[in-house]
Amino acid sequence: MSKRFPYEAGPPSGMEKLKERSDFLRGNLVESFAEPLTSAIPEEDTLLLKFHGSYMQDDRDLRNERRKQKLEPAYQFMIRVRLAGGITTPEQWLTMDELSDTYGNGTLKMTTRQTFQLHGVLKWNLKSTIQGMNKALLDTIAACGDVNRNVMASVNTEHSRYTNEVNEWAHKISDHLLPRTKAYHEIWLDEEKVIDSKEELEPIYGDLYLPRKFKIGIAVPPSNDIDVFSQDLGLIAIKEEDQLVGFNVVVGGGMGSTHGDKDTYPQVGKVIGYTPKDKVVDVAEKILTIQRDYGNRSNRKNARFKYTVDRLGKEWILQELNNRLGWELEETRDYHFDHNGDKYGWIKGHDGKWHLTLYVQNGRVADYDSYKLKTALREIAKVHTGDFRMTPNQNLIIGNVTNYMKPKIQKLVDEYGLTDGKENSALRRNSMACVAFPTCGLAMAESERYLPSLIDKVEVLLDEAGLREQEITIRMTGCPNGCARPALAEIGFIGKAPGKYNMYLGASFNGDRLNKMYKENIGEEEILDTLGPILKAYAKEREEKEHFGDYVIRAGYVKEVTTGLEFHD
Ligand code: SRM
Ligand code: SF4
């Protein structure tokens, strides 16, 4: 690979070479999926498959048993839908529901970036699954891979006037930054192979795409539900006289790190200016191309835009952006965030339509013994005339319900006992956990399957301290990649080994400050022994309206982290 970019950190990584020879993400995917002798595909193809929205995984619960029986691991595929802004129609919901039963493991996972994932799809069924989605006008292109991922958009229904328009902007940005290769259509949808001129094929990305994944999200203050400071490119909607006028631009956030490697860290994005709304697509493109040209293509652990921004400085990024735009970003406009969680229950939108935010534990839509959530949502989808909105906190909004339909939806909600979470502690309502075991190949500890039972026990401590209704954010991940954005939780847990977690405290309630490690590698007993006294002290000593994350800093439990560079100190 010849020198193509202004910045070279070293020899290109293997992934760069693979992208280059992949013929615009085709690789040998067709042949590998046709191979009948194994339920797996070769490693190189697993890497390219990500750009098509799917990961090869194996059921980790079965690994040891299968090894003993000398069987290959129980290979299966996870598939993620591309869904900017997280809104689907009832018909699309029904399609996903059906596909999860026909080809998946019978559950739907609503992700921390507002989309669906199916787990447990077998190699032989992946194409049919994608074709099934296609019939419902859903696709999975660029849901994963070194490209712009799902663009998030606030679903804060209290400010529905803006969230609807913001959702449209999320779509415009997403569409503009979509890879143009026809590989997806050929491989999965059997469309004729198109011979394009290579220069025209990927005008924004080029054939090497980006050095790493790239994430964009749009927040509508005062809600920071999308965690705007965790995005590679965050946009903060600015309103004037009841109109959306533009966006503040935030660059270089991210959550992932590697245990024990101080060169990797979570980071909060930096606000660099303001763009009028009609120029935001151009701004997004130009920022993405700065990362394309200056990102680290040698070491994937340091390849995210946050490292590019920290290496070059936000002033340099702004200057380069202005040069590429041919005009200058304006001064940052005032904004204020007061929370990064969801608001539950019925809320009336500006146009008189209703939105019901339901609490869905860790985004897993399934039928449980005494809680038939999946069936209930299917029945609602059959009659619902509005939409479904997946929130950035893994919850679900039954959106755009008319006055006429509201009692009908409420009847189904009551019949199935669906919850808006109000009977839970405020801590549980503000909780998130990533998938982790058994599907995630990178998990070091349980997350989604464990956090609910840990919260049961923390709720006892909260009751003792009189804090059941105190809003505190708690998030857990099974490894430091940070898929549930744990570094932005007032109480964060990051898995280290089975049953062991690092515990972090001190992030802000509105998602603008990172937390800091308080205890390393502790199990449940120590977690509870540690948290109990701190919660009690908080209940006794807190100042009026003081949030838990602010209190633990004031009381000296942890130091304030103002930049990710201090995260490991
Ligand atoms: Fe993630 C990798 C699940 C949001 C940072 N993430 C993975 C993989 C694909 C594991 C793998 O590479 O083999 C996980 C699949 C598990 C499974 O079985 O489904 C996975 N990530 C998820 C989801 C499903 C978690 C969830 O419970 O909702 C989220 C899907 C989002 C989506 O719809 O697109 C998810 N991942 C995130 C977020 C949160 C966000 O984007 O707002 C982050 C932190 C933000 C960031 O990117 O900095 C995140 N995931 C990562 C990383 C670390 C990336 C880094 O550069 O630091 C990895 C590992 C990697 O890329 O090498 C990863
Ligand atoms: Fe897997 Fe780690 Fe992401 Fe959790 S944080 S889903 S364990 S990669």
Side-chain angles (χ1 to χ4, degrees):
M1 195 166 69
S2 60
K3 182 169 166 25
R4 297 201 209 170
F5 301 106
Y7 173 70
E8 258 181 34
S13 70
M15 188 64 205
E16 293 302 308
K17 293 179 196 152
L18 174 59
K19 284 183 272 186
E20 187 175 38
R21 63 174 183 272
S22 74
D23 186 18
F24 293 91
L25 311 179
R26 289 176 177 83
N28 294 320
L29 284 167
V30 171
E31 296 76 13
S32 299
F33 273 88
E35 155 65 64
L37 292 178
T38 163
S39 54
I41 58 169
E43 200 199 336
E44 282 210 348
D45 286 319
T46 66
L47 300 174
L48 291 177
L49 183 66
K50 297 180 188 182
F51 291 79
H52 299 249
S54 179
Y55 276 68
M56 189 171 86
Q57 304 182 318
D58 72 288
D59 187 331
R60 296 183 64 183
D61 285 347
L62 304 178
R63 247 186 217 177
N64 287 342
E65 191 49 39
R66 291 184 68 92
R67 198 176 293 137
K68 269 191 227 148
Q69 293 183 20
K70 301 208 164 32
L71 293 168
E72 72 173 10
Y75 290 116
Q76 52 183 34
F77 292 80
M78 173 274 269
I79 181 126
R80 187 181 290 165
V81 175
R82 181 172 62 93
L83 197 67
I87 301 184
T88 71
T89 63
E91 294 73 29
Q92 289 172 328
W93 184 278
L94 289 172
T95 299
M96 291 304 296
D97 175 87
E98 195 184 329
L99 289 173
S100 72
D101 287 333
T102 313
Y103 300 119
N105 66 1
T107 73
L108 287 170
K109 170 78 180 180
M110 296 191 297
T111 73
T112 54
R113 293 191 73 79
Q114 305 176 272
T115 190
F116 294 110
Q117 274 185 193
L118 297 182
H119 288 105
V121 179
L122 297 177
K123 174 176 165 180
W124 340 109
N125 294 331
L126 193 65
K127 191 164 175 175
S128 307
T129 309
I130 292 177
Q131 293 191 342
M133 290 178 187
N134 186 55
K135 284 197 191 113
L137 303 182
L138 291 170
D139 67 60
T140 65
I141 308 169
C144 318
D146 297 344
V147 283
N148 174 52
R149 302 288 190 88
N150 262 317
V151 179
M152 295 176 78
S154 176
V155 284
N156 171 6
T157 47
E158 284 168 305
H159 297 269
S160 60
R161 183 189 305 278
Y162 310 107
T163 46
N164 291 346
E165 191 181 343
V166 157
N167 198 278
E168 286 167 23
W169 283 110
H171 275 271
K172 283 181 195 156
I173 294 170
S174 172
D175 291 348
H176 184 71
L177 299 179
L178 206 58
R180 310 279 161 87
T181 172
K182 290 282 174 279
Y184 182 90
H185 305 83
E186 284 164 35
I187 297 170
W188 309 108
L189 306 177
D190 294 329
E191 288 180 14
E192 289 280 298
K193 179 156 181 160
V194 188
I195 315 289
D196 299 81
S197 118
K198 294 211 166 179
E199 290 72 43
E200 283 167 14
L201 193 57
E202 292 288 11
I204 298 177
Y205 289 107
D207 63 343
L208 295 179
Y209 296 86
L210 297 180
R212 206 61 164 89
K213 56 177 82 165
F214 192 87
K215 297 181 173 179
I216 301 177
I218 316 179
V220 179
S223 171
N224 186 17
D225 54 356
I226 63 127
D227 274 322
V228 75
F229 300 104
S230 73
Q231 311 285 334
D232 293 271
L233 166 59
L235 297 164
I236 301 173
I238 302 295
K239 320 159 247 203
E240 274 169 16
E241 291 168 14
D242 252 4
Q243 296 293 324
L244 176 76
V245 288
F247 303 93
N248 282 342
V249 178
V250 188
V251 295
M255 289 286 100
S257 64
T258 304
H259 285 311
D261 178 354
K262 290 196 174 181
D263 290 338
T264 67
Y265 48 85
Q267 183 59 290
V268 279
K270 298 153 183 71
V271 188
I272 57 167
Y274 165 88
T275 171
K277 62 181 179 183
D278 56 334
K279 296 187 171 160
V280 69
V281 175
D282 197 22
V283 169
E285 180 195 306
K286 297 299 183 297
I287 290 179
L288 181 135
T289 62
I290 294 176
Q291 163 65 354
R292 178 197 65 197
D293 299 346
Y294 287 93
N296 184 332
R297 287 179 184 267
S298 182
N299 176 2
R300 290 182 64 80
K301 278 190 188 301
N302 277 103
R304 291 293 293 274
F305 189 43
K306 61 184 172 184
Y307 301 117
T308 313
V309 173
D310 286 352
R311 174 165 39 84
L312 297 168
K314 72 170 187 175
E315 294 72 21
W316 187 93
I317 298 283
L318 176 60
Q319 189 56 50
E320 180 68 16
L321 175 63
N322 288 341
N323 289 346
R324 290 185 185 215
L325 288 169
W327 53 276
E328 295 193 355
L329 283 194
E330 296 171 27
E331 284 286 300
T332 303
R333 305 276 170 102
D334 287 343
Y335 64 93
H336 167 74
F337 288 122
D338 57 23
H339 62 279
N340 64 351
D342 289 338
K343 298 275 182 209
Y344 294 93
W346 284 105
I347 290 176
K348 197 175 192 174
H350 74 283
D351 55 0
K353 290 207 180 133
W354 292 89
H355 309 276
L356 173 62
T357 305
L358 295 170
Y359 169 71
V360 180
Q361 193 145 263
N362 304 327
R364 183 67 66 175
V365 178
D367 275 344
Y368 304 94
D369 287 346
S370 55
Y371 189 51
K372 303 290 179 215
L373 174 63
K374 190 159 182 251
T375 305
L377 294 174
R378 184 185 312 130
E379 293 308 312
I380 289 176
K382 285 180 189 165
V383 298
H384 183 34
T385 51
D387 53 37
F388 288 96
R389 298 165 179 225
M390 281 171 262
T391 82
N393 287 284
Q394 301 170 311
N395 293 308
L396 183 66
I397 298 175
I398 302 176
N400 274 319
V401 179
T402 57
N403 276 330
Y404 173 75
M405 284 302 294
K406 190 169 174 254
K408 294 184 203 298
I409 300 289
Q410 186 62 52
K411 189 162 172 283
L412 285 165
V413 166
D414 293 341
E415 198 178 310
Y416 286 94
L418 295 190
T419 173
D420 60 7
K422 299 259 165 73
E423 77 286 1
N424 293 316
S425 65
L427 179 88
R428 194 184 295 269
R429 294 199 298 269
N430 285 293
S431 67
M432 272 211 286
C434 72
V435 182
F437 285 98
T439 53
C440 178
L442 306 177
M444 299 168 173
E446 293 282 354
S447 183
E448 178 190 329
R449 295 197 296 196
Y450 172 56
L451 185 63
S453 69
L454 178 66
I455 292 181
D456 288 344
K457 291 166 191 152
V458 177
E459 279 175 342
V460 175
L461 304 175
L462 290 170
D463 286 340
E464 283 168 11
L467 291 173
R468 198 173 178 82
E469 282 310 314
Q470 178 62 42
E471 306 245 20
I472 301 173
T473 52
I474 181 168
R475 296 174 177 179
M476 175 177 275
T477 56
C479 84
N481 283 317
C483 298
R485 302 186 288 273
L488 287 171
E490 291 179 288
I491 305 175
F493 292 102
I494 298 185
K496 260 221 118 172
K500 298 284 186 188
Y501 299 84
N502 291 349
M503 179 173 152
Y504 299 78
L505 299 175
S508 55
F509 185 71
N510 68 6
D512 67 0
R513 181 181 67 231
L514 296 168
N515 54 25
K516 186 150 190 70
M517 185 152 70
Y518 182 61
K519 286 266 163 121
E520 194 172 2
N521 206 27
I522 56 175
E524 183 173 285
E525 215 180 305
E526 208 178 330
I527 290 174
L528 297 171
D529 287 350
T530 307
L531 265 184
I534 305 180
L535 288 169
K536 274 205 179 117
Y538 168 59
K540 231 166 96 193
E541 296 165 11
R542 69 187 147 157
E543 290 172 354
E544 209 190 329
K545 298 205 174 135
E546 186 176 33
H547 282 290
F548 183 72
D550 300 331
Y551 166 75
V552 290
I553 292 172
R554 183 174 63 81
Y557 291 98
V558 285
K559 271 202 292 187
E560 178 175 4
V561 174
T562 54
T563 151
L565 298 165
E566 297 164 0
F567 184 73
H568 294 291
D569 285 351

